[in-house]
Amino acid sequence: MHDPGFAEILILAVVATFLVARLYAIFGRRDDGGQPPRQRPNPYAQAAPAADKPAVTVGDITQALAQAVPEEEPDDGRPLSLAASLQRIQKRDPSFQEKDFLKGARAAFEMILGAYARGDSDQLRGLLAPGVFDRFDTSIQERKSQQQSLESRILRVREAEIIKAVVSGTDARVTVRYLSEQIHVLRDTSGQIISGDPTRAEETEDCWTFRRELGAADPNWQLVETGT
């Protein structure tokens, strides 16, 4: 009789041989030269450029961008930020400087209010746009016809800041917000106070818009709108 243990060992040997053969067929083996098995191609690898097609360089990209970006943003009516609008004004008028403009706007604020209080229409005519001048002058003439006098003093301008700038073609408009302390007293022909208090300063907030034609020979800005 055959030994039962020997039969089991023989069966296991056959099974092991079969498994080794299957693993070899699936995974392969290293060749005699010790080289690693051939790898499958990477589908995400970038193909090498053809020999007859030169590679794109950084210089090519820079040149293409320079040609694609316009020298200046188009005037298509889209609103720009305050900084972008001021930059556009300065680009078209290199003499424009925000600090110098605000200095002139402060001086214009005091000059215009002073001329209005004195009733000096001639001085106002050169500082105001026609529509604004008409309103100022009408008020002055009414005051004179009633023989009233206006005492107007600016004690100090606490703040003057640009809050808006708009450029449309060559038309530039800049809005300045003023915070100031003022005294206004209106008197009749005998000197009696009609309104106001000469001992009390009022804190006022004014928003004035100035306009200038960029590129024009006249460098001055005109007041085209007032508001509070």
mmCIF file of all heavy atoms in Angstrom, residues 53-101:
data_model
loop_
_atom_site.group_PDB
_atom_site.id
_atom_site.type_symbol
_atom_site.label_atom_id
_atom_site.label_comp_id
_atom_site.label_asym_id
_atom_site.label_seq_id
_atom_site.Cartn_x
_atom_site.Cartn_y
_atom_site.Cartn_z
ATOM 1 N N LYS A 53 10.319 71.685 -35.371
ATOM 2 C CA LYS A 53 9.486 72.700 -34.735
ATOM 3 C C LYS A 53 10.216 73.263 -33.533
ATOM 4 O O LYS A 53 10.357 72.587 -32.517
ATOM 5 C CB LYS A 53 8.156 72.067 -34.298
ATOM 6 C CG LYS A 53 7.198 73.091 -33.715
ATOM 7 C CD LYS A 53 5.882 72.406 -33.352
ATOM 8 C CE LYS A 53 4.915 73.419 -32.761
ATOM 9 N NZ LYS A 53 3.641 72.792 -32.383
ATOM 10 N N PRO A 54 10.738 74.500 -33.598
ATOM 11 C CA PRO A 54 11.526 75.052 -32.495
ATOM 12 C C PRO A 54 10.675 75.241 -31.250
ATOM 13 O O PRO A 54 9.480 75.536 -31.334
ATOM 14 C CB PRO A 54 12.006 76.395 -33.048
ATOM 15 C CG PRO A 54 11.008 76.741 -34.115
ATOM 16 C CD PRO A 54 10.602 75.438 -34.717
ATOM 17 N N ALA A 55 11.276 75.063 -30.082
ATOM 18 C CA ALA A 55 10.584 75.213 -28.816
ATOM 19 C C ALA A 55 10.277 76.690 -28.555
ATOM 20 O O ALA A 55 11.014 77.584 -28.960
ATOM 21 C CB ALA A 55 11.446 74.652 -27.684
ATOM 22 N N VAL A 56 9.147 76.969 -27.843
ATOM 23 C CA VAL A 56 8.766 78.338 -27.490
ATOM 24 C C VAL A 56 9.628 78.799 -26.326
ATOM 25 O O VAL A 56 9.786 78.093 -25.327
ATOM 26 C CB VAL A 56 7.275 78.385 -27.100
ATOM 27 C CG1 VAL A 56 6.888 79.792 -26.671
ATOM 28 C CG2 VAL A 56 6.416 77.936 -28.268
ATOM 29 N N THR A 57 10.176 79.992 -26.430
ATOM 30 C CA THR A 57 11.049 80.532 -25.396
ATOM 31 C C THR A 57 10.325 81.599 -24.596
ATOM 32 O O THR A 57 9.257 82.079 -24.971
ATOM 33 C CB THR A 57 12.313 81.154 -26.018
ATOM 34 O OG1 THR A 57 11.921 82.287 -26.814
ATOM 35 C CG2 THR A 57 13.033 80.154 -26.900
ATOM 36 N N VAL A 58 10.911 81.996 -23.447
ATOM 37 C CA VAL A 58 10.337 83.051 -22.618
ATOM 38 C C VAL A 58 10.256 84.357 -23.396
ATOM 39 O O VAL A 58 9.303 85.125 -23.279
ATOM 40 C CB VAL A 58 11.184 83.234 -21.341
ATOM 41 C CG1 VAL A 58 10.678 84.417 -20.529
ATOM 42 C CG2 VAL A 58 11.154 81.971 -20.505
ATOM 43 N N GLY A 59 11.258 84.620 -24.201
ATOM 44 C CA GLY A 59 11.249 85.835 -25.012
ATOM 45 C C GLY A 59 10.083 85.884 -25.972
ATOM 46 O O GLY A 59 9.474 86.924 -26.192
ATOM 47 N N ASP A 60 9.739 84.721 -26.564
ATOM 48 C CA ASP A 60 8.594 84.671 -27.472
ATOM 49 C C ASP A 60 7.304 85.014 -26.745
ATOM 50 O O ASP A 60 6.455 85.742 -27.258
ATOM 51 C CB ASP A 60 8.479 83.276 -28.091
ATOM 52 C CG ASP A 60 9.681 82.944 -28.966
ATOM 53 O OD1 ASP A 60 10.283 83.887 -29.507
ATOM 54 O OD2 ASP A 60 10.010 81.757 -29.087
ATOM 55 N N ILE A 61 7.138 84.479 -25.521
ATOM 56 C CA ILE A 61 5.922 84.742 -24.744
ATOM 57 C C ILE A 61 5.835 86.209 -24.358
ATOM 58 O O ILE A 61 4.789 86.851 -24.463
ATOM 59 C CB ILE A 61 5.887 83.843 -23.494
ATOM 60 C CG1 ILE A 61 5.837 82.369 -23.904
ATOM 61 C CG2 ILE A 61 4.704 84.196 -22.606
ATOM 62 C CD1 ILE A 61 5.923 81.408 -22.751
ATOM 63 N N THR A 62 6.955 86.775 -23.895
ATOM 64 C CA THR A 62 6.973 88.189 -23.509
ATOM 65 C C THR A 62 6.612 89.084 -24.679
ATOM 66 O O THR A 62 5.834 90.030 -24.546
ATOM 67 C CB THR A 62 8.363 88.566 -22.973
ATOM 68 O OG1 THR A 62 8.689 87.718 -21.879
ATOM 69 C CG2 THR A 62 8.380 90.020 -22.509
ATOM 70 N N GLN A 63 7.155 88.794 -25.831
ATOM 71 C CA GLN A 63 6.865 89.597 -27.017
ATOM 72 C C GLN A 63 5.399 89.478 -27.410
ATOM 73 O O GLN A 63 4.745 90.463 -27.772
ATOM 74 C CB GLN A 63 7.759 89.166 -28.181
ATOM 75 C CG GLN A 63 7.562 90.022 -29.439
ATOM 76 C CD GLN A 63 8.501 89.584 -30.546
ATOM 77 O OE1 GLN A 63 9.243 88.618 -30.381
ATOM 78 N NE2 GLN A 63 8.472 90.294 -31.643
ATOM 79 N N ALA A 64 4.836 88.278 -27.312
ATOM 80 C CA ALA A 64 3.433 88.081 -27.666
ATOM 81 C C ALA A 64 2.511 88.846 -26.726
ATOM 82 O O ALA A 64 1.535 89.459 -27.141
ATOM 83 C CB ALA A 64 3.094 86.593 -27.643
ATOM 84 N N LEU A 65 2.831 88.831 -25.417
ATOM 85 C CA LEU A 65 2.019 89.571 -24.453
ATOM 86 C C LEU A 65 2.103 91.066 -24.679
ATOM 87 O O LEU A 65 1.122 91.794 -24.566
ATOM 88 C CB LEU A 65 2.469 89.233 -23.021
ATOM 89 C CG LEU A 65 2.140 87.825 -22.530
ATOM 90 C CD1 LEU A 65 2.744 87.596 -21.153
ATOM 91 C CD2 LEU A 65 0.641 87.603 -22.497
ATOM 92 N N ALA A 66 3.289 91.551 -25.000
ATOM 93 C CA ALA A 66 3.465 92.983 -25.259
ATOM 94 C C ALA A 66 2.640 93.434 -26.448
ATOM 95 O O ALA A 66 2.115 94.540 -26.480
ATOM 96 C CB ALA A 66 4.942 93.297 -25.493
ATOM 97 N N GLN A 67 2.505 92.567 -27.436
ATOM 98 C CA GLN A 67 1.704 92.917 -28.608
ATOM 99 C C GLN A 67 0.214 92.780 -28.327
ATOM 100 O O GLN A 67 -0.600 93.481 -28.919
ATOM 101 C CB GLN A 67 2.097 92.013 -29.776
ATOM 102 C CG GLN A 67 3.528 92.247 -30.255
ATOM 103 C CD GLN A 67 3.948 91.242 -31.307
ATOM 104 O OE1 GLN A 67 3.237 90.271 -31.561
ATOM 105 N NE2 GLN A 67 5.099 91.472 -31.914
ATOM 106 N N ALA A 68 -0.153 91.882 -27.412
ATOM 107 C CA ALA A 68 -1.569 91.638 -27.152
ATOM 108 C C ALA A 68 -2.172 92.669 -26.211
ATOM 109 O O ALA A 68 -3.345 93.002 -26.310
ATOM 110 C CB ALA A 68 -1.765 90.239 -26.562
ATOM 111 N N VAL A 69 -1.397 93.202 -25.240
ATOM 112 C CA VAL A 69 -1.912 94.152 -24.265
ATOM 113 C C VAL A 69 -1.882 95.548 -24.858
ATOM 114 O O VAL A 69 -0.835 96.013 -25.285
ATOM 115 C CB VAL A 69 -1.066 94.114 -22.967
ATOM 116 C CG1 VAL A 69 -1.580 95.152 -21.987
ATOM 117 C CG2 VAL A 69 -1.115 92.734 -22.355
ATOM 118 N N PRO A 70 -3.017 96.255 -24.902
ATOM 119 C CA PRO A 70 -3.016 97.606 -25.455
ATOM 120 C C PRO A 70 -2.226 98.550 -24.577
ATOM 121 O O PRO A 70 -2.075 98.336 -23.381
ATOM 122 C CB PRO A 70 -4.507 97.973 -25.484
ATOM 123 C CG PRO A 70 -5.127 97.098 -24.448
ATOM 124 C CD PRO A 70 -4.330 95.821 -24.458
ATOM 125 N N GLU A 71 -1.748 99.632 -25.185
ATOM 126 C CA GLU A 71 -0.940 100.598 -24.446
ATOM 127 C C GLU A 71 -1.758 101.289 -23.367
ATOM 128 O O GLU A 71 -1.253 101.689 -22.342
ATOM 129 C CB GLU A 71 -0.376 101.636 -25.419
ATOM 130 C CG GLU A 71 0.571 102.621 -24.756
ATOM 131 C CD GLU A 71 1.129 103.601 -25.754
ATOM 132 O OE1 GLU A 71 0.641 103.642 -26.891
ATOM 133 O OE2 GLU A 71 2.057 104.335 -25.384
ATOM 134 N N GLU A 72 -3.056 101.401 -23.586
ATOM 135 C CA GLU A 72 -3.923 102.070 -22.623
ATOM 136 C C GLU A 72 -5.292 101.435 -22.679
ATOM 137 O O GLU A 72 -5.752 101.011 -23.730
ATOM 138 C CB GLU A 72 -3.999 103.553 -22.956
ATOM 139 C CG GLU A 72 -4.789 104.366 -21.961
ATOM 140 C CD GLU A 72 -4.732 105.833 -22.307
ATOM 141 O OE1 GLU A 72 -3.650 106.414 -22.202
ATOM 142 O OE2 GLU A 72 -5.771 106.376 -22.708
ATOM 143 N N GLU A 73 -5.954 101.344 -21.515
ATOM 144 C CA GLU A 73 -7.268 100.727 -21.495
ATOM 145 C C GLU A 73 -8.232 101.550 -22.337
ATOM 146 O O GLU A 73 -8.164 102.762 -22.368
ATOM 147 C CB GLU A 73 -7.793 100.605 -20.053
ATOM 148 C CG GLU A 73 -7.949 101.919 -19.322
ATOM 149 C CD GLU A 73 -6.674 102.318 -18.616
ATOM 150 O OE1 GLU A 73 -5.608 101.893 -19.052
ATOM 151 O OE2 GLU A 73 -6.771 103.065 -17.631
ATOM 152 N N PRO A 74 -9.154 100.912 -23.042
ATOM 153 C CA PRO A 74 -10.038 101.640 -23.952
ATOM 154 C C PRO A 74 -11.068 102.476 -23.212
ATOM 155 O O PRO A 74 -11.437 102.179 -22.086
ATOM 156 C CB PRO A 74 -10.707 100.520 -24.751
ATOM 157 C CG PRO A 74 -10.675 99.351 -23.824
ATOM 158 C CD PRO A 74 -9.399 99.484 -23.030
ATOM 159 N N ASP A 75 -11.517 103.542 -23.865
ATOM 160 C CA ASP A 75 -12.576 104.372 -23.308
ATOM 161 C C ASP A 75 -13.920 103.769 -23.708
ATOM 162 O O ASP A 75 -14.568 104.220 -24.644
ATOM 163 C CB ASP A 75 -12.475 105.810 -23.834
ATOM 164 C CG ASP A 75 -11.246 106.523 -23.299
ATOM 165 O OD1 ASP A 75 -10.895 106.263 -22.149
ATOM 166 O OD2 ASP A 75 -10.662 107.327 -24.038
ATOM 167 N N ASP A 76 -14.330 102.732 -23.012
ATOM 168 C CA ASP A 76 -15.575 102.067 -23.370
ATOM 169 C C ASP A 76 -16.688 102.345 -22.374
ATOM 170 O O ASP A 76 -17.716 101.681 -22.377
ATOM 171 C CB ASP A 76 -15.352 100.554 -23.484
ATOM 172 C CG ASP A 76 -14.770 99.968 -22.198
ATOM 173 O OD1 ASP A 76 -14.618 100.725 -21.212
ATOM 174 O OD2 ASP A 76 -14.475 98.767 -22.170
ATOM 175 N N GLY A 77 -16.470 103.321 -21.502
ATOM 176 C CA GLY A 77 -17.519 103.699 -20.562
ATOM 177 C C GLY A 77 -17.518 102.914 -19.275
ATOM 178 O O GLY A 77 -18.298 103.224 -18.368
ATOM 179 N N ARG A 78 -16.690 101.915 -19.140
ATOM 180 C CA ARG A 78 -16.655 101.145 -17.905
ATOM 181 C C ARG A 78 -16.046 101.987 -16.791
ATOM 182 O O ARG A 78 -15.054 102.683 -17.002
ATOM 183 C CB ARG A 78 -15.840 99.867 -18.089
ATOM 184 C CG ARG A 78 -16.502 98.827 -18.964
ATOM 185 C CD ARG A 78 -15.614 97.614 -19.135
ATOM 186 N NE ARG A 78 -14.369 97.954 -19.798
ATOM 187 C CZ ARG A 78 -13.384 97.096 -20.017
ATOM 188 N NH1 ARG A 78 -13.496 95.853 -19.604
ATOM 189 N NH2 ARG A 78 -12.298 97.478 -20.645
ATOM 190 N N PRO A 79 -16.622 101.935 -15.579
ATOM 191 C CA PRO A 79 -16.060 102.727 -14.474
ATOM 192 C C PRO A 79 -14.699 102.175 -14.054
ATOM 193 O O PRO A 79 -14.474 100.970 -14.030
ATOM 194 C CB PRO A 79 -17.103 102.559 -13.363
ATOM 195 C CG PRO A 79 -17.794 101.270 -13.676
ATOM 196 C CD PRO A 79 -17.812 101.170 -15.180
ATOM 197 N N LEU A 80 -13.802 103.079 -13.727
ATOM 198 C CA LEU A 80 -12.480 102.705 -13.251
ATOM 199 C C LEU A 80 -12.375 103.034 -11.765
ATOM 200 O O LEU A 80 -13.132 103.837 -11.239
ATOM 201 C CB LEU A 80 -11.393 103.467 -14.017
ATOM 202 C CG LEU A 80 -11.316 103.245 -15.526
ATOM 203 C CD1 LEU A 80 -10.259 104.170 -16.125
ATOM 204 C CD2 LEU A 80 -10.983 101.807 -15.843
ATOM 205 N N SER A 81 -11.424 102.415 -11.108
ATOM 206 C CA SER A 81 -11.170 102.748 -9.716
ATOM 207 C C SER A 81 -10.591 104.155 -9.644
ATOM 208 O O SER A 81 -10.135 104.716 -10.648
ATOM 209 C CB SER A 81 -10.195 101.749 -9.102
ATOM 210 O OG SER A 81 -8.914 101.878 -9.710
ATOM 211 N N LEU A 82 -10.618 104.735 -8.436
ATOM 212 C CA LEU A 82 -10.089 106.085 -8.265
ATOM 213 C C LEU A 82 -8.618 106.145 -8.657
ATOM 214 O O LEU A 82 -8.185 107.050 -9.378
ATOM 215 C CB LEU A 82 -10.280 106.523 -6.805
ATOM 216 C CG LEU A 82 -9.675 107.881 -6.428
ATOM 217 C CD1 LEU A 82 -10.268 108.988 -7.282
ATOM 218 C CD2 LEU A 82 -9.897 108.160 -4.943
ATOM 219 N N ALA A 83 -7.840 105.156 -8.205
ATOM 220 C CA ALA A 83 -6.408 105.146 -8.518
ATOM 221 C C ALA A 83 -6.174 105.032 -10.017
ATOM 222 O O ALA A 83 -5.318 105.715 -10.584
ATOM 223 C CB ALA A 83 -5.720 103.999 -7.782
ATOM 224 N N ALA A 84 -6.951 104.165 -10.686
ATOM 225 C CA ALA A 84 -6.777 103.983 -12.126
ATOM 226 C C ALA A 84 -7.147 105.247 -12.894
ATOM 227 O O ALA A 84 -6.488 105.616 -13.872
ATOM 228 C CB ALA A 84 -7.618 102.802 -12.608
ATOM 229 N N SER A 85 -8.198 105.944 -12.445
ATOM 230 C CA SER A 85 -8.597 107.178 -13.115
ATOM 231 C C SER A 85 -7.540 108.266 -12.950
ATOM 232 O O SER A 85 -7.225 108.992 -13.899
ATOM 233 C CB SER A 85 -9.938 107.663 -12.553
ATOM 234 O OG SER A 85 -10.971 106.754 -12.862
ATOM 235 N N LEU A 86 -6.980 108.373 -11.751
ATOM 236 C CA LEU A 86 -5.931 109.379 -11.524
ATOM 237 C C LEU A 86 -4.682 109.053 -12.341
ATOM 238 O O LEU A 86 -4.013 109.952 -12.861
ATOM 239 C CB LEU A 86 -5.599 109.450 -10.032
ATOM 240 C CG LEU A 86 -6.705 110.017 -9.128
ATOM 241 C CD1 LEU A 86 -6.273 109.955 -7.666
ATOM 242 C CD2 LEU A 86 -7.055 111.437 -9.520
ATOM 243 N N GLN A 87 -4.378 107.768 -12.475
ATOM 244 C CA GLN A 87 -3.236 107.369 -13.297
ATOM 245 C C GLN A 87 -3.474 107.711 -14.761
ATOM 246 O O GLN A 87 -2.556 108.125 -15.472
ATOM 247 C CB GLN A 87 -2.976 105.876 -13.132
ATOM 248 C CG GLN A 87 -2.385 105.502 -11.785
ATOM 249 C CD GLN A 87 -2.236 104.010 -11.605
ATOM 250 O OE1 GLN A 87 -2.581 103.225 -12.491
ATOM 251 N NE2 GLN A 87 -1.723 103.590 -10.450
ATOM 252 N N ARG A 88 -4.702 107.540 -15.211
ATOM 253 C CA ARG A 88 -5.014 107.874 -16.608
ATOM 254 C C ARG A 88 -4.851 109.375 -16.847
ATOM 255 O O ARG A 88 -4.321 109.795 -17.871
ATOM 256 C CB ARG A 88 -6.435 107.440 -16.946
ATOM 257 C CG ARG A 88 -6.880 107.880 -18.331
ATOM 258 C CD ARG A 88 -8.280 107.424 -18.657
ATOM 259 N NE ARG A 88 -8.280 106.027 -19.067
ATOM 260 C CZ ARG A 88 -9.370 105.409 -19.526
ATOM 261 N NH1 ARG A 88 -10.517 106.050 -19.590
ATOM 262 N NH2 ARG A 88 -9.310 104.150 -19.900
ATOM 263 N N ILE A 89 -5.321 110.189 -15.884
ATOM 264 C CA ILE A 89 -5.154 111.645 -16.019
ATOM 265 C C ILE A 89 -3.680 112.003 -16.086
ATOM 266 O O ILE A 89 -3.250 112.794 -16.932
ATOM 267 C CB ILE A 89 -5.838 112.371 -14.844
ATOM 268 C CG1 ILE A 89 -7.354 112.165 -14.897
ATOM 269 C CG2 ILE A 89 -5.512 113.862 -14.869
ATOM 270 C CD1 ILE A 89 -8.097 112.732 -13.705
ATOM 271 N N GLN A 90 -2.895 111.415 -15.189
ATOM 272 C CA GLN A 90 -1.462 111.730 -15.160
ATOM 273 C C GLN A 90 -0.767 111.264 -16.426
ATOM 274 O O GLN A 90 0.170 111.922 -16.908
ATOM 275 C CB GLN A 90 -0.824 111.092 -13.932
ATOM 276 C CG GLN A 90 0.632 111.512 -13.733
ATOM 277 C CD GLN A 90 1.203 110.965 -12.442
ATOM 278 O OE1 GLN A 90 0.708 109.982 -11.906
ATOM 279 N NE2 GLN A 90 2.240 111.596 -11.939
ATOM 280 N N LYS A 91 -1.229 110.160 -16.999
ATOM 281 C CA LYS A 91 -0.602 109.652 -18.210
ATOM 282 C C LYS A 91 -0.856 110.596 -19.375
ATOM 283 O O LYS A 91 0.026 110.828 -20.210
ATOM 284 C CB LYS A 91 -1.132 108.256 -18.524
ATOM 285 C CG LYS A 91 -0.436 107.593 -19.705
ATOM 286 C CD LYS A 91 -0.868 106.149 -19.847
ATOM 287 C CE LYS A 91 -0.110 105.463 -20.981
ATOM 288 N NZ LYS A 91 -0.476 104.031 -21.105
ATOM 289 N N ARG A 92 -2.059 111.146 -19.431
ATOM 290 C CA ARG A 92 -2.390 112.060 -20.518
ATOM 291 C C ARG A 92 -1.911 113.477 -20.253
ATOM 292 O O ARG A 92 -1.766 114.275 -21.182
ATOM 293 C CB ARG A 92 -3.898 112.049 -20.749
ATOM 294 C CG ARG A 92 -4.416 110.690 -21.204
ATOM 295 C CD ARG A 92 -5.883 110.739 -21.566
ATOM 296 N NE ARG A 92 -6.351 109.435 -22.020
ATOM 297 C CZ ARG A 92 -7.583 109.206 -22.442
ATOM 298 N NH1 ARG A 92 -8.465 110.180 -22.474
ATOM 299 N NH2 ARG A 92 -7.940 107.991 -22.844
ATOM 300 N N ASP A 93 -1.703 113.782 -18.967
ATOM 301 C CA ASP A 93 -1.189 115.106 -18.598
ATOM 302 C C ASP A 93 -0.106 114.913 -17.544
ATOM 303 O O ASP A 93 -0.379 114.895 -16.353
ATOM 304 C CB ASP A 93 -2.318 115.980 -18.051
ATOM 305 C CG ASP A 93 -1.824 117.368 -17.660
ATOM 306 O OD1 ASP A 93 -0.659 117.692 -17.960
ATOM 307 O OD2 ASP A 93 -2.603 118.122 -17.057
ATOM 308 N N PRO A 94 1.159 114.727 -17.959
ATOM 309 C CA PRO A 94 2.243 114.446 -17.015
ATOM 310 C C PRO A 94 2.421 115.509 -15.938
ATOM 311 O O PRO A 94 3.020 115.234 -14.898
ATOM 312 C CB PRO A 94 3.482 114.361 -17.923
ATOM 313 C CG PRO A 94 2.939 114.004 -19.278
ATOM 314 C CD PRO A 94 1.616 114.695 -19.364
ATOM 315 N N SER A 95 1.903 116.717 -16.166
ATOM 316 C CA SER A 95 2.050 117.773 -15.158
ATOM 317 C C SER A 95 1.100 117.563 -13.972
ATOM 318 O O SER A 95 1.253 118.217 -12.933
ATOM 319 C CB SER A 95 1.788 119.144 -15.784
ATOM 320 O OG SER A 95 0.439 119.265 -16.206
ATOM 321 N N PHE A 96 0.119 116.671 -14.124
ATOM 322 C CA PHE A 96 -0.844 116.449 -13.045
ATOM 323 C C PHE A 96 -0.204 115.644 -11.927
ATOM 324 O O PHE A 96 0.331 114.559 -12.140
ATOM 325 C CB PHE A 96 -2.073 115.699 -13.576
ATOM 326 C CG PHE A 96 -3.080 115.360 -12.501
ATOM 327 C CD1 PHE A 96 -4.016 116.288 -12.102
ATOM 328 C CD2 PHE A 96 -3.070 114.111 -11.897
ATOM 329 C CE1 PHE A 96 -4.948 115.978 -11.122
ATOM 330 C CE2 PHE A 96 -3.990 113.790 -10.910
ATOM 331 C CZ PHE A 96 -4.932 114.730 -10.523
ATOM 332 N N GLN A 97 -0.270 116.189 -10.722
ATOM 333 C CA GLN A 97 0.188 115.512 -9.519
ATOM 334 C C GLN A 97 -0.894 115.659 -8.456
ATOM 335 O O GLN A 97 -1.382 116.770 -8.216
ATOM 336 C CB GLN A 97 1.512 116.091 -9.007
ATOM 337 C CG GLN A 97 2.682 115.938 -9.963
ATOM 338 C CD GLN A 97 3.093 114.484 -10.158
ATOM 339 O OE1 GLN A 97 2.913 113.665 -9.246
ATOM 340 N NE2 GLN A 97 3.642 114.170 -11.315
ATOM 341 N N GLU A 98 -1.278 114.574 -7.849
ATOM 342 C CA GLU A 98 -2.381 114.600 -6.881
ATOM 343 C C GLU A 98 -2.135 115.605 -5.758
ATOM 344 O O GLU A 98 -3.033 116.368 -5.373
ATOM 345 C CB GLU A 98 -2.604 113.201 -6.306
ATOM 346 C CG GLU A 98 -3.782 113.127 -5.355
ATOM 347 C CD GLU A 98 -4.025 111.706 -4.858
ATOM 348 O OE1 GLU A 98 -3.409 110.769 -5.409
ATOM 349 O OE2 GLU A 98 -4.827 111.535 -3.924
ATOM 350 N N LYS A 99 -0.925 115.636 -5.229
ATOM 351 C CA LYS A 99 -0.607 116.543 -4.117
ATOM 352 C C LYS A 99 -0.757 117.998 -4.554
ATOM 353 O O LYS A 99 -1.354 118.816 -3.826
ATOM 354 C CB LYS A 99 0.822 116.277 -3.631
ATOM 355 C CG LYS A 99 1.236 117.125 -2.443
ATOM 356 C CD LYS A 99 2.642 116.769 -1.993
ATOM 357 C CE LYS A 99 3.084 117.614 -0.811
ATOM 358 N NZ LYS A 99 4.464 117.274 -0.372
ATOM 359 N N ASP A 100 -0.242 118.333 -5.724
ATOM 360 C CA ASP A 100 -0.344 119.708 -6.213
ATOM 361 C C ASP A 100 -1.791 120.067 -6.534
ATOM 362 O O ASP A 100 -2.228 121.209 -6.308
ATOM 363 C CB ASP A 100 0.534 119.900 -7.450
ATOM 364 C CG ASP A 100 2.018 119.759 -7.141
ATOM 365 O OD1 ASP A 100 2.387 119.953 -5.967
ATOM 366 O OD2 ASP A 100 2.788 119.435 -8.063
ATOM 367 N N PHE A 101 -2.536 119.105 -7.078
ATOM 368 C CA PHE A 101 -3.939 119.374 -7.392
ATOM 369 C C PHE A 101 -4.713 119.712 -6.118
ATOM 370 O O PHE A 101 -5.517 120.661 -6.095
ATOM 371 C CB PHE A 101 -4.559 118.163 -8.089
ATOM 372 C CG PHE A 101 -6.036 118.319 -8.336
ATOM 373 C CD1 PHE A 101 -6.491 118.957 -9.473
ATOM 374 C CD2 PHE A 101 -6.951 117.822 -7.419
ATOM 375 C CE1 PHE A 101 -7.867 119.117 -9.694
ATOM 376 C CE2 PHE A 101 -8.321 117.977 -7.635
ATOM 377 C CZ PHE A 101 -8.771 118.626 -8.773
#
